[in-house]
Amino acid sequence: LHYHESKSQFAVTMNSHTPLQLYKRAESTKSYSYYTTALSNEIIINKYGYATCYSGIPVSVPDGLKAYYCRIDGNTAILNDIGSFIPANTGAILYSDNAVGKEHGESYLIPYTNKQTTDFSENALIGYVQDTEVDNNHAHYALNVCDEVIGFYIPQTTTENNPTPTSPFIARAGKAYLELPPSSTINSYAI
């Protein structure tokens, strides 16, 4: 069980796909009552229609969203459809037509699932289940907007004044980032 300080919520990472249940303890009787079986994570899709996500357990893609994994071709991040379920420990890009143009984007609940899912070995997206300082000499890029263009740019959470793609940065819990060989020196990747 991990507490995500940046989101003020808990997430569960398990080695198996066992269904989970939450119970609420009644202090007066010291008994536990059934609370919920539907664990989920809230994702905010920005006004451009995009967000990234990463989870330690498989999640379902709700109606209104499309999920993609990412591979790199030259200077372009190519999005490939994931389908209805995102595998555990898989970075993904989410897209919603409904969020496009809305000032505050659109909020979605991404439910955890116990479904077996396919691995996407060409996926260049990585992530972490808790906020993590990343300093591994690889090039990293975060989904962002620059001059009204959505793409992958050097993370804004870098710890250096003049950041490069290989600069250390803070990876936010539940977000996905491009991780490429250190030879990648360009400042951005178009989608």
Side-chain angles (χ1 to χ4, degrees), residues 122-144:
E122 346 175 81
N123 192 7
L125 294 169
I126 56 103
Y128 299 89
V129 294
Q130 59 189 17
D131 288 359
T132 303
E133 184 171 354
V134 179
D135 186 7
N136 63 6
N137 281 339
H138 281 78
H140 293 95
Y141 301 87
L143 186 69
N144 211 335

Side-chain angles (χ1 to χ4, degrees), residues 82-171:
I82 283 179
S84 300
F85 302 98
I86 302 170
N89 305 309
T90 300
I93 295 174
L94 302 174
Y95 179 79
S96 168
D97 280 332
N98 295 335
V100 175
K102 291 184 178 176
E103 187 60 33
H104 300 290
E106 188 84 7
S107 175
Y108 287 89
L109 288 179
I110 310 295
Y112 297 127
T113 182
N114 61 356
K115 259 210 189 289
Q116 297 294 333
T117 54
T118 307
D119 247 350
F120 297 96
S121 58
E122 346 175 81
N123 192 7
L125 294 169
I126 56 103
Y128 299 89
V129 294
Q130 59 189 17
D131 288 359
T132 303
E133 184 171 354
V134 179
D135 186 7
N136 63 6
N137 281 339
H138 281 78
H140 293 95
Y141 301 87
L143 186 69
N144 211 335
V145 178
C146 184
D147 297 328
E148 298 294 313
V149 176
I150 190 113
F152 283 95
Y153 301 91
I154 295 172
Q156 292 181 336
T157 56
T158 184
T159 55
E160 294 181 356
N161 291 333
N162 295 312
T164 67
T166 57
S167 294
F169 76 104
I170 304 298

Side-chain angles (χ1 to χ4, degrees), residues 41-46 49-51 53 60-68 81 83-84 86 93-99 106-111:
N41 191 9
E42 182 182 22
I43 300 284
I44 306 295
I45 306 295
N46 67 25
Y50 289 94
C53 77
S60 296
V61 179
D63 291 340
L65 282 183
K66 292 184 180 181
Y68 303 95
D81 188 36
S84 300
I86 302 170
I93 295 174
L94 302 174
Y95 179 79
S96 168
D97 280 332
N98 295 335
E106 188 84 7
S107 175
Y108 287 89
L109 288 179
I110 310 295

